[in-house]
C-alpha cells in the first residue's frame, strides 16, 4: 500500500480489533447468565421497557413470518390486565434465548445486550479486549492524521463500551465515529457508500479492515481499499487471494 493512500480507517471489531472469542465467550454468556435477574430487577426501568417493546415488536413479526422458534408477546394484553408481567417477561426471555443461540444480529436484541453490557463494564465485571497491535495502530493512525471509525454489527452503544473500557484503558478519544447495521447490512456495498457519504470522504480514500470476506467484497465493490484481518480463531478464508491481508495492524502502511 503506497504512502498516504488513505485518509480514513474503518475497522470491524470481532475477529479484527478484538478476539472473536471475546464476544462469544465473555459478552454473550454475560447476557445469557444475567438477563433473567436483570429483567426481574429492572422491569420498570423506562429504558428496559423501550427494549422490551422492541423485542416484542420483532417477536411478533417473526411469528407472522412463520419462524418456529419465535414466541408472540402481547403487550396490549399486559396493559389491559389480561396477562401477567411474569408471563410477558417469560415470552421476552424465550425470544432472547433462541435469538442468542442462533447468533441473530438483529437490532432489538443488540439494543438490550448493549444496555446490559453497560452495567457490566461500569461495575468492572467486563473489560473490552483490544489486540496490542490494534491499539498501537489506532494510536499511530490518529497521530499521523488519519481518522479512525468503527463499523460493527454490534450496536453503537456496545462499540463505545468495548473501546471505552479496554485492557489498554479508554480508547474512545482515538475513535472519530461509530456505525452499526442501522446504516445497512455489512455485506451490502450500499452500506459502505452510505458511510463514505456520511463521513464526507470519497470511498477510495477509506481503508476498511475486517476478518469477514463478504464484508471485504462489499467494501471493495463500494470503492474502498481493504485489508483482511487474520487472527487466531477466525474462520479460514478460501477466496482472499485478490485482497491484502495482515496478522498485525502495524504492518499496514500509513
Amino acid at each position: 500500500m503506497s504512502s498516504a493512500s488513505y485518509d480514513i480507517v474503518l475497522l470491524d471489531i470481532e475477529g479484527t480489533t478484538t478476539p472473536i472469542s471475546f464476544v462469544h465467550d465473555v459478552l454473550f454468556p454475560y447476557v445469557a447468565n444475567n438477563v433473567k435477574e436483570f429483567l426481574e430487577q429492572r422491569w420498570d426501568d423506562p429504558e428496559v421497557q423501550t427494549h422490551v417493546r422492541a423485542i416484542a415488536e420483532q417477536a411478533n413479526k417473526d411469528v407472522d413470518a412463520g419462524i418456529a422458534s419465535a414466541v408472540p408477546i402481547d403487550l396490549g394484553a399486559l396493559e389491559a390486565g389480561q396477562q401477567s408481567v411474569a408471563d410477558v417477561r417469560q415470552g421476552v426471555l424465550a425470544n432472547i434465548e433462541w435469538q442468542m443461540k442462533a447468533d441473530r444480529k438483529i437490532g432489538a436484541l443488540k439494543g438490550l445486550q448493549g444496555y446490559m453490557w453497560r452495567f457490566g463494564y461500569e461495575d468492572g465485571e467486563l473489560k473490552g479486549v483490544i489486540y496490542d497491535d490494534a491499539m498501537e495502530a489506532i494510536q499511530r493512525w490518529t497521530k499521523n492524521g488519519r481518522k479512525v471509525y468503527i463499523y460493527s454489527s454490534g450496536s453503537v452503544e456496545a462499540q463505545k463500551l468495548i473501546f471505552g473500557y479496554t485492557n489498554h484503558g479508554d480508547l474512545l478519544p482515538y475513535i472519530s465515529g461509530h456505525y452499526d447495521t442501522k446504516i445497512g447490512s455489512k455485506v451490502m456495498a450500499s452500506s459502505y457508500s452510505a458511510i463514505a457519504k456520511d463521513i464526507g470522504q470519497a470511498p477510495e480514500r477509506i481503508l476498511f479492515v475486517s476478518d469477514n470476506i463478504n464484508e471485504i467484497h462489499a467494501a471493495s465493490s463500494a470503492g474502498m481499499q481493504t485489508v483482511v484481518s487474520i487472527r487466531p480463531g477466525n474462520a479460514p478464508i478460501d477466496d482472499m487471494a485478490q485482497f491484502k491481508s495482515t496478522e498485525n495492524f502495524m504492518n499496514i502502511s500509513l
Side-chain angles (χ1 to χ4, degrees):
M1 194 172 294
S2 62
S3 177
S5 65
Y6 56 92
D7 302 301
I8 302 293
V9 180
L10 184 63
L11 299 173
D12 171 51
I13 296 179
E14 186 180 349
T16 301
T17 65
T18 299
I20 199 164
S21 60
F22 176 69
V23 174
H24 292 278
D25 295 347
V26 178
L27 291 185
F28 286 174
Y30 176 83
V31 172
N33 294 335
N34 292 285
V35 65
K36 183 176 185 293
E37 182 181 2
F38 185 87
L39 290 180
E40 288 174 350
Q41 292 180 349
R42 301 179 183 275
W43 183 257
D44 293 326
D45 181 328
E47 192 161 352
V48 167
Q49 283 301 304
T50 296
H51 293 300
V52 166
R53 286 192 294 272
I55 289 170
E57 181 180 355
Q58 184 62 56
N60 293 331
K61 286 180 180 177
D62 292 339
V63 169
D64 291 342
I67 297 177
S69 300
V71 176
I73 301 173
D74 191 346
L75 295 181
L78 174 63
E79 294 170 358
Q82 298 170 349
Q83 199 167 14
S84 69
V85 168
D87 287 341
V88 170
R89 189 160 53 226
Q90 187 56 44
V92 171
L93 288 169
N95 282 288
I96 291 171
E97 180 180 5
W98 82 260
Q99 290 186 31
M100 287 192 65
K101 285 182 178 179
D103 193 18
R104 200 176 192 205
K105 302 183 187 301
I106 197 118
L109 174 64
K110 295 293 183 183
L112 178 63
Q113 288 174 328
Y115 186 60
M116 287 188 61
W117 289 331
R118 184 203 306 172
F119 289 91
Y121 283 107
E122 291 176 349
D123 292 343
E125 294 183 59
L126 296 173
K127 187 177 291 291
V129 178
I130 305 296
Y131 284 115
D132 291 347
D133 63 279
M135 179 272 296
E136 293 168 3
I138 288 170
Q139 292 179 331
R140 184 180 68 167
W141 277 318
T142 56
K143 181 180 179 181
N144 285 273
R146 311 296 194 277
K147 290 186 175 181
V148 178
Y149 291 79
I150 306 299
Y151 182 28
S152 171
S153 59
S155 68
V156 167
E157 180 181 17
Q159 296 173 30
K160 290 180 177 179
L161 291 170
I162 288 178
F163 283 91
Y165 297 86
T166 84
N167 51 325
H168 298 291
D170 183 5
L171 297 182
L172 284 178
Y174 298 99
I175 309 301
S176 293
H178 300 260
Y179 297 95
D180 56 23
T181 52
K182 288 182 180 178
I183 202 161
S185 167
K186 294 190 72 182
V187 297
M188 298 293 291
S190 58
S191 302
Y192 298 87
S193 298
I195 288 174
K197 182 178 181 181
D198 188 67
I199 292 173
Q201 186 64 259
E204 294 77 13
R205 302 297 299 175
I206 299 176
L207 172 67
F208 176 61
V209 186
S210 173
D211 67 306
N212 187 309
I213 195 63
N214 295 320
E215 297 172 5
I216 292 291
H217 277 291
S220 180
S221 296
M224 291 186 183
Q225 301 177 51
T226 60
V227 172
V228 179
S229 174
I230 308 297
R231 298 292 193 183
N234 285 5
I237 300 174
D238 297 325
D239 63 337
M240 56 177 279
Q242 61 182 299
F243 299 109
K244 295 181 175 68
S245 64
T246 187
E247 297 179 1
N248 188 318
F249 281 15
M250 293 299 286
N251 292 333
I252 301 175
S253 301
L254 287 171

